[in-house]
Amino acid sequence: MDIKDKVAKAINKQINAELYSSYLYLAMAAFLEAKNYLGFGHWMRVQSNEENNHAMKFFNYLLERGGEVVLSDIKASDTKWKTPLDVFKAVYEHELKVTGMINELLKIARQEEDTATESMLKWFIDEQVEEEANAKQIVEKLKLIKDSPNGLFMLDHELGERK
Ligand code: FEO
């Protein structure tokens, strides 16, 4: 059965949100690398790619269900961070927002009795738990490190190992 318009519209909105996430993390990578935090920048580049993959999961799903993919404008991100802590706090807050959007999408799928979309969203619900936890862990580490150059150097190295 082809997907209902209301669900398709919500999925298109989510595609845009995931692409925005990718764009935001890319802006963060540029900021961090310009400050010579190459490991943090690498982590952010990997994250930006992951967000693009999330967008493509929704994109492919919508096409598979006979829905129309509508790609709209991706807004530019705010870039008023000053430190790596600012950046990772913003990542965490952004991920909380995305979790809220996924929950909203789930609500719509349930209202529309779209069990296939509900099932597809399960992967994203689990993924959000991981994304929130990862960002939060880095925020906590950065809070502990404060302005210690040694600590920042070590964490930058650690995040640079992300596959
Ligand atoms: Fe696609 Fe980070 O949520």
Side-chain angles (χ1 to χ4, degrees), residues 50-133:
E50 276 206 5
E51 297 302 347
N52 199 64
N53 291 337
H54 294 171
M56 292 312 294
K57 267 184 193 280
F58 282 115
F59 179 101
N60 292 333
Y61 175 76
L62 193 49
L63 287 176
E64 214 172 27
R65 291 287 313 279
E68 187 191 358
V69 170
V70 181
L71 296 176
S72 46
D73 291 353
I74 303 167
K75 74 175 169 94
S77 57
D78 264 338
T79 52
K80 43 183 193 211
W81 324 290
K82 290 203 167 56
T83 63
L85 179 58
D86 287 346
V87 174
F88 281 94
K89 270 186 182 165
V91 171
Y92 180 59
E93 276 156 27
H94 182 68
E95 288 303 330
L96 292 180
K97 218 181 282 174
V98 174
T99 300
M101 291 188 75
I102 299 283
N103 289 337
E104 196 52 39
L105 195 45
L106 181 65
K107 216 184 327 174
I108 293 169
R110 283 184 176 154
Q111 278 162 1
E112 298 299 313
E113 295 176 355
D114 185 339
T115 48
T117 298
E118 203 177 320
S119 166
M120 178 274 293
L121 287 171
K122 166 94 176 62
W123 184 90
F124 283 94
I125 292 161
D126 295 342
E127 177 75 1
Q128 280 313 116
V129 173
E130 200 184 308
E131 300 241 310
E132 282 182 27

